[in-house]
Amino acid sequence: MPKALYIKTWGCQMNEYDSTRMVDVLAPLGYERTDRADGADLVILNTCHIREKAAEKLFSELGRLRPLQSAKQKAGGRMVVAVAGCVAQAEGEALQARAGNVDLVFGPQTYHRLPELLSRIDGTTRLVVDTEFPVESKFDRLPEEAVAPGVSAYLSVQEGCDKFCSFCVVPYTRGAEFSRPVAAVLAEAERLVARGAKEITLLGQNVNAFHGIGPDGRPWSLGRLIRHLAEHTGVLRLRYTTSHPLDVDEELVSAHRDVVQLMPFLHLPVQSGSDRVLAAMNRKHTADQYRCIIDTLRTARPDLALSSDFIVGFPGETDRDFAETLRLVDDVGFVQAYSFKYSPRPGTPAAALGRRQVPDAVKAERLVALQERLNAHQRAFNRACLGRRLPVLFDRFGRRPGQILGRSPAMQSVHVEAPETLLGHQMDVEIQTAHANSLGGVVVPKTALGAGGHQRLERVA
Ligand code: SAH
Ligand code: SF4
Ligand code: F3S
């Protein structure tokens, strides 16, 4: 009898990657992933600690699991509940005190030990905790992927962060920067492509700080890794996330210029447009330096679409600082972005700036203003796509019957009415409708395509 495994994932793409790899680790023990917690033998909550709300979601989920655990017990079984990810790393045993129904706690660096951790849970042991940063790398211990990847797959190449932005928990929950060797990344990428992945997104908390050992015994940059993967795997599309502005180097810029598989889209968080705030955040660059980096990238790849992350209401942020953020948004013309109210995180330097905290009402007001501005840019970019032909890689079903969805090079969701046999294929789509968050169009039959290839998207500022 297979055992039912339910995993709920919050947070970043690296957590999603980790959840997929946990399935691989547990497959030899007879676990099969289900999409329902009800009746599961093992529930893993793979958590995020980045903002306060993210951690709170864990506790409400644990509350929801209680009756399911009792029901399972009444039926003569046991539902083991595990907390994984960044909250597990940060809170460790304290989780047991806040929620008595947790059996197992492990951090992002120890899930390769899951079989052994599970074997330690029995009638007498109430809680097993493993939040070490082990000397061995989990990547050396993980089995090959048990489950076939989707059309678009994630591949972790780098983990951890040494930047210590003053608001951020990641250096504490994920530990120091670590890069996988190029050969290991290549082997995983080859397997993903052989099993049907058409697009690979290289992941890292600070992915462009990648410095994995290359076949020549020297550290390779991300740009070099991208070239290598493009040349040797036959992958159709490559992306990477998340990057730090300071680690954009010449090899990365030239990869954007030369590598056709590398999509013209970059998520490059800036957080704020104010030099004062950037300094207090310990981002180690100014707003103008960020503008310069964007200019360099756009000189190499004129149709590069930019996305970013912003924090409003960082301690001490004034109206004038915030106005600088809006100015930067207008200067760059991001095609999409994520924006957040600053959330003090325990143990981070910014959380200790007690009296300088910005009132919540001000944060909320600034967030609305910022999002309005960002949305206006996104809508303008989407509207500028009307009438164009964009290559779309179809990767999922749409909400309506007969509809399938895919992504444009700039990550826009594009929906078309088309047979599902097109899933997994890249086709040109003539864009006919532009919405706030998506585009719609019709597939252009391959024979109708001119020899000239795809039009490049021009930037709309
Ligand atoms: N490694 C990435 C981002 C990791 S976290 C980088 O270097 O930018 C993802 C985003 O969450 C961050 O870019 C930031 O905008 C947001 N974030 C992180 N800590 C936060 C906090 N304490 N409050 C609000 N937003 C935060
Ligand atoms: Fe956090 Fe990113 Fe800064 Fe690292 S670079 S501390 S992950 S925001
Ligand atoms: Fe969250 Fe940890 Fe990712 S805190 S954003 S899951 S690195």
Side-chain angles (χ1 to χ4, degrees), residues 40 254-255 264 298 327 341 384:
S254 68
R298 279 183 170 151
R327 190 163 71 85
K341 287 195 268 185

Side-chain angles (χ1 to χ4, degrees), residues 4 38-42 67-79:
D38 198 358
D41 297 282
L42 173 59
L68 303 185
Q69 282 173 290
S70 311
K72 181 95 182 169
Q73 201 164 9
K74 277 199 195 112
R78 177 167 185 192
M79 178 186 286

Side-chain angles (χ1 to χ4, degrees), residues 102-397:
V102 178
D103 302 294
L104 181 57
V105 177
F106 57 94
Q109 307 308 335
T110 49
Y111 63 80
H112 56 292
R113 297 175 177 168
L114 259 171
E116 187 244 333
L117 297 175
L118 282 171
S119 73
R120 278 163 50 195
I121 296 175
D122 54 33
T124 49
T125 311
R126 285 202 39 228
L127 177 70
V128 174
V129 178
D130 188 352
T131 49
E132 251 191 77
F133 285 109
V135 279
E136 86 266 12
S137 156
K138 71 181 175 217
F139 292 109
D140 295 336
R141 307 295 164 102
L142 290 174
E144 283 195 7
E145 307 73 37
V147 185
V151 176
S152 182
Y154 289 135
L155 201 177
S156 275
V157 302
Q158 181 279 339
E159 209 168 355
C161 183
D162 295 343
K163 291 279 191 288
F164 290 93
C165 301
S166 61
F167 52 82
C168 183
V169 291
V170 171
Y172 311 96
T173 61
R174 294 273 171 165
E177 268 178 20
F178 165 81
S179 299
R180 295 175 70 186
V182 171
V185 174
L186 178 66
E188 189 166 328
E190 280 172 337
R191 289 195 299 271
L192 292 173
V193 173
R195 297 183 70 184
K198 297 284 162 58
E199 175 175 271
I200 296 179
T201 303
L202 307 177
L203 298 181
Q205 262 86 36
N206 192 2
V207 71
N208 58 335
F210 177 85
H211 56 270
I213 296 297
D216 54 2
R218 291 164 187 272
W220 280 27
S221 70
L222 182 69
R224 201 157 171 208
L225 176 73
I226 287 170
R227 263 177 212 275
H228 193 65
L229 296 178
E231 279 165 23
H232 293 97
T233 60
V235 71
L236 182 66
R237 290 178 163 196
L238 285 166
R239 302 181 184 276
Y240 60 94
T241 201
T242 298
S243 300
H244 192 287
L246 280 189
D247 291 315
V248 174
D249 64 5
E250 250 171 62
E251 284 186 314
L252 192 57
V253 173
S254 68
H256 275 288
R257 187 188 58 217
D258 306 332
V259 179
V260 287
Q261 291 90 337
L262 183 59
M263 290 293 100
F265 175 85
L266 174 58
H267 181 65
L268 194 63
V270 63
Q271 317 296 356
S272 168
S274 150
D275 291 345
R276 249 172 36 86
V277 174
L278 285 169
M281 286 177 164
N282 195 30
R283 293 290 290 183
K284 300 195 179 85
H285 64 78
T286 63
D288 276 347
Q289 280 166 335
Y290 184 85
R291 289 182 178 89
C292 270
I293 294 162
I294 301 294
D295 284 347
T296 309
L297 283 158
R298 279 183 170 151
T299 305
R301 181 83 210 220
D303 61 342
L304 187 73
L306 269 303
S307 149
S308 201
D309 289 343
F310 294 89
I311 293 177
V312 297
F314 185 81
E317 185 190 68
T318 62
D319 285 340
R320 186 181 279 186
D321 293 318
F322 178 63
E324 288 291 285
T325 298
L326 294 179
R327 190 163 71 85
L328 181 77
V329 167
D330 289 340
D331 287 349
V332 176
F334 297 98
V335 306
Q336 66 161 67
Y338 301 92
S339 42
F340 313 99
K341 287 195 268 185
Y342 168 71
S343 163
R345 307 310 291 132
T348 59
L353 301 171
R355 283 181 305 122
R356 311 204 58 206
Q357 300 296 334
V358 173
D360 197 60
V362 177
K363 287 187 201 172
E365 217 172 89
R366 288 183 189 160
L367 189 65
V368 169
L370 176 61
Q371 289 183 340
E372 270 174 15
R373 193 72 65 95
L374 289 166
N375 290 342
H377 284 281
Q378 181 166 357
R379 277 195 306 272
F381 179 68
N382 287 348
R383 269 200 309 272
C385 295
L386 284 170
R388 296 189 179 200
R389 281 182 185 182
L390 302 179
V392 175
L393 175 61
F394 294 108
D395 60 355
R396 59 204 189 281
F397 288 101

